[in-house]
Amino acid sequence: SRLVGSSHTGDSTCQFSTPKYLTMPVGMGINGFGRIGRLVFRAASANPDVEVKAINDPFMDLKYMVYQLKYDSVHKMFAGTVACKEVDGKEFLVVNGSDIAVFHEKDP
């Protein structure tokens, strides 16, 4: 018999899972917002267990990030809302109402 997560001995298999109310999404940052970065972003935004906290791209303007995410020629329009905002000199990509910090560091 195979026991997972239990000190019980016997012939049955016991598995424990973490209750949903105890889990938090994993925070992640994306370095580069080209084709692959945008695909990673789309996959992460569709996954409730992942939360994108920041995006770094030293070469892409914030408004162009919005455009590129919104209107992808291969993957079509983003299924959600996409906007941008600037507060106190800091830039944010606002996706589905959530603020995502944007940086332009060449050597993060």
Side-chain angles (χ1 to χ4, degrees):
S1 72
R2 181 175 170 230
L3 300 176
V4 178
S6 173
S7 61
H8 177 270
T9 58
D11 292 335
S12 65
T13 300
C14 296
Q15 293 184 333
F16 295 103
S17 62
T18 305
K20 269 295 195 200
Y21 63 89
L22 293 179
T23 61
M24 291 177 52
V26 174
M28 72 179 261
I30 297 174
N31 191 31
F33 208 57
R35 169 148 288 169
I36 294 171
R38 289 191 309 274
L39 285 175
V40 169
F41 181 86
R42 282 173 177 254
S45 67
N47 185 340
D49 295 328
V50 177
E51 184 178 359
V52 177
K53 300 279 191 175
I55 297 170
N56 180 55
D57 193 307
F59 308 109
M60 193 177 294
D61 176 74
L62 180 61
K63 290 180 182 177
Y64 194 56
M65 280 184 178
V66 170
Y67 175 79
Q68 288 283 76
L69 182 59
K70 225 179 212 184
Y71 306 106
D72 189 285
S73 61
V74 174
H75 300 283
K76 305 304 175 209
M77 285 189 68
F78 182 77
T81 61
V82 183
C84 62
K85 72 177 184 180
E86 294 183 40
V87 178
D88 296 329
K90 296 180 181 178
E91 297 181 340
F92 297 91
L93 193 61
V94 183
V95 179
N96 297 329
S98 297
D99 292 354
I100 300 163
V102 175
F103 301 95
H104 301 285
E105 300 295 324
K106 289 185 180 178
D107 190 13

